[in-house]
């Protein structure tokens, strides 16, 4: 059984504007935060946006342990 295709155009989906969050800052005196901050900086200099984003996520998650 075939269904009849739509003969009208649906309204476009309106997505919210994505607001960038500020970069998380390493906690002074924390070795893991310092390591992630250095890795993020090196990745940024190489243009590796994926690793920069991963480091930001790990810094945000790690920060809850302080």
């Amino acid at each position: 059984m075939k269904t009849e295709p739509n003969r009208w155009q649906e309204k476009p989906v309106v997505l919210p504007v994505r607001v960038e969050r500020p970069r998380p800052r390493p906690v002074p005196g924390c070795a893991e935060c310092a390591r992630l901050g250095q890795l993020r900086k090196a990745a940024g200099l190489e243009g590796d946006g994926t690793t920069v984003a991963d480091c930001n996520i790990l810094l945000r998650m790690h920060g809850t342990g302080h």
Side-chain angles (χ1 to χ4, degrees):
M1 178 174 161
K2 285 179 144 181
T3 59
E4 187 66 26
N6 291 342
R7 302 270 183 223
W8 63 91
Q9 183 175 359
E10 295 180 11
K11 292 183 179 180
V13 176
V14 179
L15 299 175
V17 175
R18 181 177 175 183
V19 178
E20 293 294 325
R21 299 191 321 181
R23 290 182 359 169
R25 293 184 179 168
V27 175
C30 176
E32 181 63 11
C33 282
R35 185 186 74 79
L36 289 169
Q38 290 172 349
L39 179 60
R40 177 179 65 186
K41 184 176 181 179
L45 292 173
E46 293 177 10
D48 184 358
T50 301
T51 301
V52 170
D54 289 346
C55 288
N56 286 339
I57 291 167
L58 291 171
L59 278 167
R60 282 190 186 99
M61 289 172 50
H62 176 72
T64 59
H66 292 125

